[in-house]
């Protein structure tokens, strides 16, 4: 007989197989490489390398810079978001929306910004780049925050990703990263 989603034990019983949890899509939906970075027994991160970029996860969430307050979102294509202060956000930055009342399907999603002007920006899909159409969503009511995803430029390109090698020194919280085509880098 065939068992699905179970692991047969030698002595007879079966147990559930471990599974995976969807955490987030990679940057722009590109091919990526995940690298664990354990600083000490209680602090660990997961580094996501995609061509030219690195993002950081902690406790299953992407690290973000402090969020800015959303004051309105239009029912349009593309959706236009108004915030209290645009800060350092610019076209091409990736944000995660949360706490939006009235348009709950936008919460927890990653978007790329376009058309930043004054205190507004347009939302585009973070994988396809297509404008986000909110014309069929309920009207924005209140609340919300836009948190920019914390990203660092990386020298590693798509062909480097499978060959990334790393070693970490838990005592100092330092990680050394290298590939056959790139010099070693030190991450602290």
């Amino acid at each position: 007989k065939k068992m699905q989603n179970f692991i047969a034990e030698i002595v007879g019983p079966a147990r559930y197989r471990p599974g995976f949890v969807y955490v987030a899509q990679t940057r722009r939906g590109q091919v990526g490489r995940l690298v664990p970075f354990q600083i000490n027994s209680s602090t660990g991160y997961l580094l996501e390398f995609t061509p030219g970029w690195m993002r950081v996860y902690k406790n299953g969430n992407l690290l973000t810079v402090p969020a800015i307050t959303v004051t309105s979102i239009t029912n349009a294509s593309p959706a236009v978001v108004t915030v209290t202060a645009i800060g350092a956000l610019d076209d091409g930055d990736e944000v995660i929306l949360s706490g939006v009342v009235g348009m709950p399907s936008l919460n927890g999603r990653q978007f790329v910004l376009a058309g930043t002007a004054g205190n507004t920006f347009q939302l585009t899909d973070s994988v396809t780049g297509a404008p986000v159409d909110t014309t069929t969503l309920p009207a924005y009511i209140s609340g919300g925050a836009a948190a920019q995803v914390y990203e660092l430029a990386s020298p590693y390109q798509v062909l480097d990703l499978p060959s990334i090698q790393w070693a970490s020194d838990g005592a100092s919280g330092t990680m050394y990263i290298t590939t056959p085509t790139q010099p070693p880098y030190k991450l602290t």
Side-chain angles (χ1 to χ4, degrees):
K1 298 216 175 204
K2 181 179 177 181
M3 290 195 309
Q4 198 168 24
N5 292 324
F6 290 93
I7 297 172
E9 298 287 345
I10 293 174
V11 293
R15 62 181 167 94
Y16 289 109
R17 69 159 176 82
F20 296 99
V21 174
Y22 176 82
V23 175
Q25 66 194 25
T26 60
R27 184 180 195 276
R28 310 292 195 269
Q30 296 176 325
V31 171
R33 173 82 187 263
L34 299 175
V35 174
F37 181 18
Q38 193 70 35
I39 293 178
N40 56 41
S41 62
S42 62
T43 306
Y45 299 95
L46 189 61
L47 309 179
E48 171 196 289
F49 289 94
T50 53
W53 295 94
M54 183 190 84
R55 304 191 312 175
V56 181
Y57 294 81
K58 181 173 178 158
N59 298 328
N61 296 308
L62 275 166
L63 285 186
T64 59
V65 299
I68 54 176
T69 303
V70 172
T71 58
S72 74
I73 302 174
T74 63
N75 284 93
S77 180
V80 177
V81 178
T82 304
V83 294
T84 53
I86 200 110
L89 290 177
D90 202 1
D91 290 353
D93 288 342
E94 193 165 318
V95 297
I96 299 173
L97 294 181
S98 63
V100 175
V101 179
M103 297 179 169
S105 62
L106 299 181
N107 290 325
R109 288 185 53 197
Q110 297 166 231
F111 300 99
V112 175
L113 306 187
T116 54
N119 284 352
T120 65
F121 53 81
Q122 298 169 3
L123 297 178
T124 62
D125 186 273
S126 64
V127 175
T128 66
V132 173
D133 184 355
T134 56
T135 56
T136 60
L137 296 180
Y140 170 86
I141 296 173
S142 66
Q148 182 182 2
V149 175
Y150 182 74
E151 301 177 319
L152 295 172
S154 158
Y156 307 115
Q157 297 305 312
V158 71
L159 295 177
D160 295 321
L161 299 179
S163 61
I164 289 177
Q165 297 291 313
W166 68 92
S168 61
D169 175 11
S172 67
T174 302
M175 175 180 263
Y176 298 92
I177 307 167
T178 191
T179 69
T181 61
Q182 298 291 334
Y185 284 88
K186 181 178 173 181
L187 180 65
T188 58

